[in-house]
Amino acid sequence: MRDLLIIEHFSVGPLACTCTIIADPISGQAIIVDGGAEPERIATRLSALGVRASHLVHTHAHIDHIGALPELRERVGGAGLLHPDDLPLYATLAQQAHWLGLTTAVHPAKIDGDLRHGDRLCVGTAVLEVLHTPGHTPGSVSIALEVEGRALLLTGDTLFRGSVGRWDLGGTSLADIVHSIREHLLVYPDATPVIPGHGPATTIGQERTENPYITTKHV
C-alpha cells in the first residue's frame, strides 16, 4: 500500500520555495504544503496525478510560502490553513510584495482554518502532524509526515541544512528558533529526513552534530 502514496518536492517561485505534494490516487485526495507560487504548475501536476487538494498547508506567512493561495485554491480546491500567530504577518502581504519588487498586486485571501500544534491531517496512509516551531515567524510550523511508522520532516524556514531561518523579520529571536528546533525537531531519530523550505535536504542526525546554531549554546 505504501507505494501507492505519492510524495513529491519541487521548488516554486523566484525564491525557490520548496513545495510538497502528498497525494493518494486511491482516494483522489492530496495535501499541498507551501504552494506559495506557480499555482498553474502545481495544478497541472495534480491534474496529471488525478487528484484534488483537501488542504493547502502553509508553514508561515511569508509571501514565497503563501502568496499564491487564492489562485491555487481556485484551481485545485482545498482549505487554506495557517497558524493564527502569523495572521498579522499575513496581513502585510502587499508590503512584502513591494519589498521584493513585485509589480503584480498581491493581497491576503481568506484563511479557511487554523494550524495548531498537535493537529493531524490525513491523506491515504499518510498522517501530517503540525509542530508549532516559532522563531522564523511567531506562527511558523513544521510538519511531521508519518507513513507507516516512519517520519519525514518538512521544516519550512525553521531549519535548513547547516543553518536556520532568519529571525529578524517577524518579531522573534534566535533563541526562539533554536528552542523550537531542540524541543520539537531534535526529538526525532537521527535518520529522519528533513526537507527544508529552501535548499538541499538533510537529516536530523546531520543537523544535530554539524549545524553550528544547534551545537553552539544560544539559549
Side-chain angles (χ1 to χ4, degrees), residues 9-203:
H9 315 284
F10 51 93
S11 297
V12 295
L15 298 183
C17 169
T18 302
C19 173
T20 297
I21 294 174
I22 306 104
D24 175 42
I26 301 300
S27 66
Q29 297 294 310
I31 293 176
I32 300 172
V33 180
D34 282 344
E38 300 187 58
E40 182 175 359
R41 177 185 173 198
I42 298 170
T44 297
R45 185 57 188 148
L46 260 65
S47 178
L49 295 172
V51 297
R52 291 276 290 176
S54 59
H55 298 89
L56 308 176
V57 172
H58 304 282
T59 60
H60 61 287
H62 283 146
I63 191 170
D64 52 326
H65 292 256
I66 199 172
L69 171 58
E71 185 177 351
L72 184 61
R73 181 168 50 197
E74 182 177 345
R75 287 176 176 271
V76 305
L81 306 180
L82 180 70
H83 193 283
D85 287 355
D86 259 18
L87 289 175
L89 178 61
Y90 186 50
T92 72
L93 210 60
Q95 293 97 308
Q96 293 184 46
H98 176 72
W99 296 334
L100 291 174
L102 301 179
T103 57
T104 304
V106 181
H107 301 287
K110 176 180 178 291
I111 298 297
D112 300 301
D114 293 339
L115 289 174
R116 296 187 182 275
H117 186 80
D119 285 352
R120 293 164 72 88
L121 305 171
C122 297
V123 56
T125 57
V127 177
L128 287 75
E129 182 175 0
V130 178
L131 309 173
H132 184 206
T133 51
H136 180 61
T137 68
S140 283
V141 301
S142 298
I143 302 296
L145 172 58
E146 298 180 4
V147 182
E148 297 185 356
R150 301 187 65 179
L152 178 151
L153 295 173
L154 309 175
T155 58
D157 288 3
T158 294
L159 177 64
F160 297 134
R161 183 174 177 176
S163 188
V164 299
R166 292 178 62 173
W167 56 91
D168 59 340
L169 300 175
T172 56
S173 69
L174 176 57
D176 290 336
I177 201 167
V178 172
H179 177 77
S180 290
I181 292 169
R182 289 175 174 165
E183 184 77 10
H184 298 300
L185 302 181
L186 295 189
V187 297
Y188 285 85
D190 284 352
T192 305
V194 173
I195 307 296
H198 303 269
T202 183
T203 65

